[in-house]
Amino acid sequence: MFDGLGDAVTVYEVSPRDGLQNESAIVSTAEKVELVQALRAAGLRRIEATSFVSPKWIPQLADAEALLLALAADDLARDGEYSALCPNSRGLQRARDTGVAEIVVFVSASAEHNQKNLNSSIDDSLARLREVVQEARQTGLRVRGCVSTAWGFRSEQDVDLRESARIGRALMDMGCTELSLGDTTGVATPRKTHDVLSCFLAEHPAVTLSMHMHDTRGTALANVLVGLELGLRSFDAAIGGLGGCPYAPGAAGNLATEDLVYMLHGMGIPSGIDLDKLIEAGKVAARLVGHPLPGKVHRASLGTPRTAHSTAQPVR
Ligand code: HMG
Ligand code: MG
């Protein structure tokens, strides 16, 4: 069982963006740098640092330019690969002034969620993003495309898989180089995950696809296991299980990075991450946001000796 899953996995960390956008308290720029330093120290390389969205919509990330410039100037953080969400040409303009290497464009497969999140229809969003992506690519930026609510919005039944696939196709056609499939509200279960991933894999190679699971109902790791078995090697996660979309009511945190890495290493799958240092990064995150975090390994670490979390898996 689980033979042939040994290839390394890339963990794409979203806590500075997806995590902090959902906090009621504003974390300062200097504190965000401290969080990123802790994530980098644990071996995380690809980090979604912030968003160039409207500060009226997401005030928590209004310091996007200042944060990226601070990261570029910081000895402990400057060699990370940072990306930032970008909803329109204004966002791209802001991103270009910071030297960020990658932007992330996002469209929801649920018309209702897209309207709440981007204040526009799906097709208007796609039309707007086509120009943004083309301009970004012309100036040498990488572009990640995210299909939000790819499994469903209020339930697994309310989004047609063909609509998720259509949006994924449109994002790739306009020039995105990889796709992140978002279970924004954590409705996914393994059978539907098999259907969603099989549908996308029929058109796109596994290396192009990433899973972005929210753990609202505790099914995120079960879904990741399906992805691993189907050949996916990139997973989004947030330290301590931070995260959620303010425009998706009840959407709880992302899959916790520590939970993902604990499972990967236990299965002998390398990630390049030091789990003990990752657990320390989770404690930094909890201190900065000022409340306990929901991640399971994070919780267990608070009452367990440090060595209990080290697995046989070496860090590579
Ligand atoms: P709008 O109100 O329709 O846009 O918002 P607007 O063009 O009328 O602009 C309103 C104001 O915002 C104007 O300022 C603009 O200049 C300004 P004013 O004239 O009133 O002073 N503005 C901007 N400012 C800075 N940067 C910009 C920008 N754009 C406009 N880029 C808009 C449309 C797209 C801007 C808005 O809906 C928005 O920002 N939405 C983003 C919401 C968001 O960030 N949601 C969370 C991220 S998505 C997520 O979490 C899901 C994900 O994790 C995947 C998953 O879980 O599945 C990615
Ligand atoms: Mg998300």
Side-chain angles (χ1 to χ4, degrees):
M1 201 177 184
F2 304 124
D3 290 340
L5 295 184
D7 289 351
V9 154
T10 298
V11 178
Y12 179 92
E13 173 68 28
V14 297
S15 59
R17 195 280 301 170
D18 203 327
L20 299 185
Q21 77 181 13
N22 206 38
E23 291 296 315
S24 49
I26 304 264
V27 174
S28 73
T29 308
E31 290 170 328
K32 289 173 184 173
V33 171
E34 184 186 353
L35 173 61
V36 173
Q37 286 174 339
L39 297 169
R40 287 287 302 115
L44 284 157
R45 186 154 191 87
R46 295 193 70 189
I47 299 177
E48 201 166 272
T50 187
S51 290
F52 291 104
V53 298
S54 167
K56 289 184 178 148
W57 286 60
I58 306 281
Q60 298 90 333
L61 305 182
D63 63 344
E65 289 92 336
L67 175 62
L68 284 163
L69 293 172
L71 292 175
D74 187 274
D75 285 347
L76 299 175
R78 70 161 58 99
D79 61 338
E81 292 175 20
Y82 300 111
S83 52
L85 256 58
C86 180
N88 54 18
S89 50
R90 174 83 198 281
L92 177 61
Q93 183 58 47
R94 292 175 60 203
R96 284 167 61 178
D97 294 341
T98 64
V100 73
E102 180 178 62
I103 60 162
V104 182
V105 297
F106 51 106
V107 180
S108 185
S110 153
E112 181 187 358
H113 181 247
N114 202 69
Q115 191 67 45
K116 285 179 194 292
N117 202 37
L118 287 171
N119 200 23
S120 93
S121 71
I122 291 172
D123 286 332
D124 285 352
S125 296
L126 287 172
R128 192 172 307 130
L129 289 175
R130 193 162 292 117
E131 290 172 24
V132 172
V133 173
Q134 281 168 2
E135 195 184 331
R137 293 300 307 278
Q138 278 161 11
T139 55
L141 287 171
R142 291 198 313 271
V143 185
R144 196 173 207 245
C146 178
V147 185
S148 295
T149 64
W151 277 253
F153 180 38
R154 295 179 190 280
S155 77
E156 263 193 325
Q157 282 78 43
D158 65 3
V159 164
D160 188 335
L161 177 47
R162 285 170 298 190
E163 180 66 344
S164 302
R166 179 182 80 90
I167 293 167
R169 206 173 301 127
L171 290 170
M172 290 303 283
D173 285 349
M174 68 177 78
C176 292
T177 43
E178 68 178 90
L179 283 178
S180 172
L181 309 180
D183 179 24
T184 319
T185 49
V187 293
T189 58
R191 187 185 295 272
K192 175 90 183 262
T193 297
H194 191 276
D195 293 347
V196 170
L197 297 181
S198 301
C199 171
F200 274 86
L201 284 166
E203 292 183 42
H204 313 284
V207 286
T208 307
L209 299 175
S210 201
M211 291 170 73
H212 175 107
M213 311 310 286
H214 284 257
D215 204 21
T216 315
R217 294 169 181 79
T219 54
L221 276 179
N223 293 313
V224 165
L225 202 49
V226 175
L228 284 169
E229 290 223 66
L230 288 175
L232 270 70
R233 284 295 175 276
S234 175
F235 299 92
D236 299 5
I239 197 79
L242 279 168
C245 176
Y247 301 100
N254 288 271
L255 168 60
T257 316
E258 302 94 313
D259 298 2
L260 172 63
V261 171
Y262 179 85
M263 186 181 87
L264 292 173
H265 290 191
M267 295 175 73
I269 301 173
S271 70
I273 293 167
D274 180 321
L275 183 55
D276 286 329
K277 288 186 180 162
L278 193 63
I279 287 168
E280 292 310 305
K283 292 175 185 168
V284 171
R287 171 167 54 76
L288 295 180
V289 299
H291 61 78
L293 303 183
K296 302 282 191 299
V297 171
H298 170 76
R299 292 273 175 144
S301 78
L302 300 177
T304 321
R306 203 168 171 222
T307 49
H309 299 285
S310 301
T311 68
Q313 180 59 49
V315 174
R316 295 181 199 172

